[in-house]
Coordinates of all heavy atoms in Angstrom, one line a residue:
G133 N -9.3 17.5 10.9 CA -10.7 17.5 11.3 C -11.7 17.1 10.3 O -12.8 16.8 10.6
A147 N 2.1 8.0 9.2 CA 2.3 7.8 10.6 C 3.0 6.5 10.9 O 3.9 6.4 11.8 CB 1.0 7.9 11.4
H157 N -1.9 5.5 19.6 CA -2.8 4.8 20.5 C -2.9 5.3 21.9 O -3.9 5.5 22.5 CB -2.4 3.3 20.5 CG -3.2 2.5 21.5 ND1 -4.5 2.1 21.4 CD2 -2.8 2.0 22.8 CE1 -4.9 1.5 22.5 NE2 -3.9 1.4 23.3
V166 N -8.6 14.6 19.6 CA -10.0 15.1 19.6 C -10.7 14.9 18.3 O -11.9 15.1 18.2 CB -10.0 16.6 20.0 CG1 -9.4 16.8 21.3 CG2 -9.3 17.5 18.9
V167 N -9.9 14.5 17.2 CA -10.6 14.2 15.9 C -11.0 12.7 15.9 O -10.4 11.9 16.6 CB -9.6 14.5 14.8 CG1 -9.3 16.0 14.7 CG2 -8.3 13.7 14.9
H172 N -11.1 1.2 12.0 CA -10.1 0.2 11.6 C -8.7 0.7 11.8 O -7.8 -0.1 12.0 CB -10.3 -0.2 10.1 CG -10.0 0.8 9.1 ND1 -10.8 1.9 8.9 CD2 -8.9 0.9 8.2 CE1 -10.2 2.6 7.9 NE2 -9.1 2.0 7.5
P238 N 33.9 5.8 25.0 CA 35.1 6.5 24.4 C 35.6 5.7 23.2 O 35.4 4.5 23.1 CB 36.1 6.5 25.5 CG 35.3 6.4 26.8 CD 34.1 5.5 26.4
A242 N 35.0 1.8 22.4 CA 33.9 1.4 21.6 C 34.4 0.3 20.6 O 33.8 -0.7 20.3 CB 33.3 2.6 20.9
F254 N 27.7 -11.7 18.2 CA 26.9 -10.7 17.6 C 27.3 -10.7 16.1 O 28.5 -10.8 15.7 CB 27.2 -9.3 18.2 CG 26.4 -9.1 19.5 CD1 26.7 -9.8 20.6 CD2 25.4 -8.2 19.5 CE1 25.9 -9.6 21.8 CE2 24.6 -8.0 20.6 CZ 24.9 -8.7 21.8
T262 N 39.1 -1.2 9.2 CA 40.2 -1.9 9.9 C 41.3 -0.9 10.3 O 42.1 -1.2 11.2 CB 40.9 -3.0 9.0 OG1 41.2 -2.4 7.7 CG2 39.9 -4.1 8.7
E295 N 34.4 17.4 9.7 CA 35.1 17.0 8.5 C 34.4 15.8 7.9 O 34.8 15.4 6.7 CB 36.6 16.7 8.8 CG 36.8 15.7 9.9 CD 37.1 16.3 11.2 OE1 36.5 17.4 11.5 OE2 38.0 15.8 12.0
M301 N 29.1 21.6 11.6 CA 28.6 20.8 12.7 C 29.0 21.5 14.0 O 30.1 22.2 14.0 CB 29.1 19.4 12.7 CG 28.6 18.5 11.7 SD 26.8 18.1 11.9 CE 26.9 17.1 13.4
P303 N 30.8 21.7 17.7 CA 32.0 21.0 18.2 C 31.6 19.7 18.8 O 30.6 19.5 19.4 CB 32.6 22.0 19.2 CG 32.0 23.4 18.9 CD 30.7 23.1 18.3
C322 N 22.1 1.0 33.9 CA 22.6 1.9 32.9 C 22.9 3.3 33.4 O 22.3 3.7 34.4 CB 21.6 2.0 31.7 SG 21.2 0.4 31.0
V335 N 18.5 17.8 19.8 CA 18.4 18.9 18.8 C 19.5 18.8 17.8 O 19.2 18.9 16.6 CB 18.6 20.3 19.6 CG1 18.9 21.4 18.7 CG2 17.4 20.5 20.5
L367 N 21.7 25.3 29.5 CA 21.6 24.7 28.1 C 21.8 25.9 27.1 O 22.4 25.7 26.1 CB 20.2 24.1 28.0 CG 20.0 23.4 26.6 CD1 20.9 22.2 26.4 CD2 18.5 23.0 26.5
E369 N 23.4 28.7 27.4 CA 24.8 29.1 27.4 C 25.6 28.1 26.5 O 26.5 28.5 25.7 CB 25.4 29.1 28.8 CG 26.8 29.5 28.9 CD 27.4 29.5 30.3 OE1 26.7 29.1 31.3 OE2 28.6 30.0 30.5
D388 N 6.5 24.4 20.0 CA 5.5 25.4 20.4 C 4.4 25.5 19.3 O 3.2 25.6 19.6 CB 6.2 26.8 20.5 CG 6.7 27.0 22.0 OD1 6.6 26.1 22.8 OD2 7.1 28.2 22.2
G394 N 4.9 26.5 25.0 CA 5.5 27.6 25.7 C 7.0 27.5 25.9 O 7.5 28.3 26.7
G400 N 14.4 31.0 26.8 CA 15.1 32.2 26.6 C 15.8 32.4 25.3 O 16.6 33.3 25.2
K425 N 17.3 9.4 1.6 CA 18.7 9.4 1.2 C 18.8 10.1 -0.1 O 19.8 10.8 -0.3 CB 19.1 7.9 1.0 CG 19.3 7.2 2.3 CD 19.9 5.8 2.0 CE 20.2 5.0 3.3 NZ 20.7 3.6 3.0
A436 N 27.6 21.7 -1.6 CA 28.9 21.7 -2.2 C 28.9 22.8 -3.3 O 30.0 23.5 -3.4 CB 29.1 20.3 -2.9
G450 N 32.9 12.3 -5.7 CA 34.0 11.4 -5.8 C 34.4 10.7 -4.5 O 34.6 9.5 -4.4
A459 N 28.2 -2.0 -7.1 CA 26.8 -2.4 -7.0 C 26.0 -1.4 -6.2 O 24.9 -1.0 -6.5 CB 26.7 -3.7 -6.4
T468 N 17.9 7.2 -6.5 CA 17.8 8.7 -6.5 C 17.1 9.2 -7.8 O 16.2 10.0 -7.7 CB 19.2 9.3 -6.5 OG1 19.9 8.9 -5.4 CG2 19.2 10.8 -6.6

Side-chain angles (χ1 to χ4, degrees):
H157 169 75
V166 300
V167 293
H172 71 285
F254 279 69
T262 54
E295 55 263 37
M301 290 290 295
C322 304
V335 169
L367 182 66
E369 181 181 4
D388 270 10
K425 285 185 180 179
T468 301

